[in-house]
Amino acid sequence: MNEVWPVDVPGERVLVREVRPRDEGPLLRLFEECEDWFLAATGLPSGPGDVQSLFYALPPGADPEAKALLVVERNGEVAGVIDAVRDHPERGAVAVGLFLLAPWARGRGLGRAVSEALLPRFGEPALVTATVPPGWVPGERFLTRLGFTLDGPPEGTAPEWTASAGAAGRGAGAPRRAVLRRAASA
């Protein structure tokens, strides 16, 4: 498919596109830059297999063909990565396993602009789910500002799917589930 689409962010050139094999190096750098997120999510910095795990991580029961693995480029530099699955947890929904921006790209409206640009690409889903590491205040704020409702993790449950499968089970608590219910499009 190799679709590329621009995102409207005043004064910046922002593109979202599918991950390509040559993105491995920039994604490794992104994960190193996002040590704060990895520490919140796993208790450890990014590991060597975390980029590769992006290609294989899926929530239980999801169709591998429904996976969308995207990079966000800001002024030609990889600024973020998004891992989402269409038709999960139900038909017409979208589950976001990872929406990660580099620290230098956060707090500028980029995340909101990319989120708003993605919804039409995913067919204007009536339900969007995501997870946020326990106590990860920047992620909680971001999701809340987008209209998500945050739930606490059910007691005694294992962590839900996250795109960083290599991070799963490395010692962090269960992530909080975030749900966005939108009016069905006409």
Side-chain angles (χ1 to χ4, degrees):
M1 186 157 106
N2 278 337
E3 186 177 1
V4 177
W5 65 91
V7 176
D8 186 26
V9 178
E12 299 185 28
R13 184 176 165 263
V14 177
L15 301 173
V16 176
R17 61 172 173 77
E18 292 179 359
V19 170
R20 300 174 187 148
R22 68 176 181 246
D23 291 323
E24 185 175 1
L27 286 171
L28 284 167
R29 281 189 297 285
L30 174 69
F31 279 19
E32 288 170 2
E33 292 173 337
C34 293
E35 182 176 308
D36 57 348
W37 182 87
F38 278 93
L39 289 173
T42 69
L44 297 170
S46 172
D50 287 329
V51 169
Q52 288 80 12
S53 72
L54 284 171
F55 294 93
Y56 304 107
L58 283 170
D63 178 359
E65 296 298 315
K67 184 176 181 80
L69 190 53
L70 309 167
V71 294
V72 178
E73 285 186 0
R74 181 178 154 258
N75 298 327
E77 187 172 355
V78 171
V81 64
I82 301 159
D83 188 4
V85 178
R86 293 177 177 92
D87 294 325
H88 192 82
E90 61 192 45
R91 187 163 179 75
V94 173
V96 179
L98 182 66
F99 190 111
L100 186 62
L101 292 177
W104 51 266
R106 299 176 194 161
R108 311 165 54 97
L110 179 62
R112 175 177 286 283
V114 169
S115 297
E116 290 171 355
L118 285 178
L119 290 173
R121 301 290 173 170
F122 287 127
E124 298 289 352
L127 173 65
V128 181
T129 61
T131 57
V132 62
W136 178 240
V137 176
E140 291 172 352
R141 277 192 212 131
F142 174 68
L143 290 168
T144 301
R145 287 179 183 147
L146 291 177
F148 281 80
T149 301
L150 296 171
D151 300 330
E155 288 190 32
T157 60
E160 290 186 38
W161 162 74
T162 62
S164 182
R170 282 203 250 158
R176 293 185 71 186
R177 186 167 190 259
V179 176
L180 176 65
R181 295 198 183 276
R182 307 171 65 239
S185 57

